[in-house]
């Protein structure tokens, strides 16, 4: 029996009493992936990206391990909810226009002490001030640095379009604006190098493309390390008591951790290891989060149909954003149909061994987005479900 066949047998035994559709997290794989993130971080603390997990019980599990510290959230409403739930260090990774949320933040000492908000424009400070509704708590602020690689005088750009702040002078000027402004305290800098951390450099069957990605990423790491260090020096000259400099992501942990200017690493997808993280030379993780769909039809030889399956991930539309049939090995989508909203035909020789009611296991393309489809995760150790815990959706929250 192959290792994958053994995993399928374990998952089938563990969930034999449960009807699909369902989602699981293999805790042995989850914990091994956490160990690997810490190893690659080289002693620097890892801040957990909540959007890649979207389950409070698993956030608590990973933060209970030495080496993990704090959360990186994705909306202000989520940040406040997490803070009320007992998480005392929440960095909101994206600017917000949630006026009601800012009013709550500015009025509550506990929330204001636990949550740090992201800004890259003085207009965002204006919005927060206008939303205070009488709240006088000091709002903790983090500045975001644009990490994109720009070539040919800026005519070529590689990287996400996030912050407009690129140079040390730009960040130092906004730092001065925050420092002069009553009701705000600058505590950190964040820089997410998504074109390094979130782009695989070993694309199957694409040797030339993979080499080009590796060359781009090496150049991007060199350029960013130099510029990030200069930015940190410039901002610390304005705010010597800066608490943290956050950088990285699952695909770049060891490279970002090697920079002296960086004090902590952000990562989250590396805990679940969805399919988009298969194509990296820098690390190999274990798939920990899966979902199962039941066989409901056998239309013919070499074909089964499962219920549901149309769970595409965000990003530029393409085949790499689709879930993939994982177990049993050898199943593929019908190219004329793909994964459907209500049903999905699957082709391949293993289909003939599947019976009505059997489970087919899939891997999602992006980590936490799986939890928007399921209200619970069944946690598996060995061949036993040891707990069933709610996702954000299962707790009644869909923040985006």
């Amino acid at each position: 029996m192959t290792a994958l066949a053994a995993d399928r047998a374990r998952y089938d035994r563990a969930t034999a009493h449960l009807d699909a559709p369902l989602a699981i997290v293999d805790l042995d794989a989850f914990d091994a992936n956490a160990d690997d993130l810490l190893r690659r971080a080289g002693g620097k603390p890892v801040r957990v990206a909540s959007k890649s997990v979207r389950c409070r019980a698993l956030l608590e599990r990973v933060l209970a391990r030495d080496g993990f510290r704090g959360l990186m959230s994705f909306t202000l409403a989520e940040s406040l909810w997490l803070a009320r739930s007992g998480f005392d260090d929440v960095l909101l990774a994206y600017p917000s226009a949630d006026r009601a949320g800012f009013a709550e933040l500015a009025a509550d000492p506990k929330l204001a002490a636990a949550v740090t908000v992201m800004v890259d424009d003085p207009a965002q400070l204006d919005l927060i001030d206008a939303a205070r509704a009488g709240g006088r708590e000091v709002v903790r602020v983090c500045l975001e640095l644009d990490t994109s690689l720009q070539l040919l005088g800026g005519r070529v750009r590689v990287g996400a379009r996030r912050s407009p702040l690129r140079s040390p002078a730009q960040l130092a000027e906004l730092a001065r604006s925050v420092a002069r402004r009553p009701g705000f305290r600058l505590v950190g800098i964040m820089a997410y190098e998504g074109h390094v951390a979130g782009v695989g450099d070993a694309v199957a069957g694409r040797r030339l493309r993979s080499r080009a990605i590796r060359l781009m990423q090496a150049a991007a790491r060199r350029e960013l390390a130099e510029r990030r260090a200069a930015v940190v020096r410039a901002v610390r000259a304005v705010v010597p008591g800066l608490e943290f400099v956050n950088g990285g992501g699952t695909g770049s942990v060891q490279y970002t951790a090697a920079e002296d200017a960086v004090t902590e690493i952000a990562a989250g997808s590396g805990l679940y290891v969805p399919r988009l993280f298969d194509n990296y030379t820098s690390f190999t993780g274990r798939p920990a989060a899966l979902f199962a769909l039941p066989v409901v039809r056998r239309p013919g030889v070499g074909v089964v149909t499962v219920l549901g399956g149309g769970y595409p991930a965000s990003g530029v539309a393409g085949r790499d954003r689709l879930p993939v049939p994982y177990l049993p090995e050898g199943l593929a989508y019908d190219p004329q149909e793909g994964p459907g909203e209500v049903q999905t035909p699957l082709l391949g020789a293993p289909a003939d061994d599947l019976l009505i009611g059997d489970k087919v296991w899939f891997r999602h393309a992006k980590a936490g987005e799986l939890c928007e489809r399921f209200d619970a995760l069944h946690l598996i150790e060995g061949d036993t479900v040891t707990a069933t815990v709610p996702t954000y959706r299962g707790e009644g929250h869909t923040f985006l």
Side-chain angles (χ1 to χ4, degrees), residues 4-5 8 12 325-332 350-351 353-354 359-361:
L4 287 179
R8 180 195 173 200
D12 282 347
Y326 181 53
L327 301 171
E329 297 178 82
L331 293 173
D353 296 323
L354 292 169
K359 296 179 177 77
V360 176
W361 296 91

Side-chain angles (χ1 to χ4, degrees), residues 335-347:
Q336 302 302 314
E337 295 193 46
E341 177 188 10
V342 177
Q343 66 171 31
T344 297
L346 298 171
L347 313 180

Side-chain angles (χ1 to χ4, degrees), residues 143-321:
L143 306 184
E144 182 169 3
L145 166 67
D146 170 39
T147 66
S148 65
L149 176 64
Q150 296 189 10
L151 306 170
L152 302 177
R155 292 190 295 275
V156 175
R157 175 194 178 99
V158 182
R161 297 183 182 275
R162 292 175 62 113
S163 172
L165 304 177
R166 182 168 180 83
S167 70
Q170 288 175 314
L171 278 99
E173 178 57 32
L174 187 51
R176 282 189 286 270
S177 295
V178 175
R180 289 192 299 259
R181 193 157 184 159
F184 295 93
R185 179 155 62 96
L186 179 58
V187 298
I189 299 171
M190 188 193 85
Y192 171 57
E193 51 266 47
H195 50 303
V196 179
V199 177
D201 63 348
V203 184
R206 306 288 297 275
R207 291 182 60 189
L208 291 179
R209 177 174 174 79
S210 297
R211 176 168 173 74
I213 290 172
R214 287 194 290 273
L215 290 172
M216 176 276 291
Q217 290 179 338
R221 290 196 301 268
R222 289 192 298 270
E223 186 277 336
L224 179 59
E226 181 177 340
R227 183 159 52 91
R228 178 155 42 198
V231 163
V232 172
R233 287 193 298 270
V235 174
R236 286 196 185 278
V238 179
V239 183
L242 207 63
E243 295 176 13
F244 64 85
V245 177
N246 180 280
T250 288
S252 69
V253 170
Q254 62 269 44
Y255 303 118
T256 309
E259 295 182 34
D260 291 338
V262 175
T263 66
E264 63 175 37
I265 309 300
S269 295
L271 295 168
Y272 286 170
V273 187
R275 62 166 296 203
L276 281 177
F277 285 84
D278 287 347
N279 303 319
Y280 286 78
T281 57
S282 61
F283 79 102
T284 301
R286 291 172 56 182
L290 308 172
F291 68 93
L293 302 177
V295 173
V296 292
R297 285 178 170 164
R298 293 170 49 88
V301 175
V303 185
V304 291
T305 301
V306 295
L307 182 69
Y311 306 156
S314 60
V316 178
R319 293 182 62 84
D320 66 338
R321 302 291 146 164

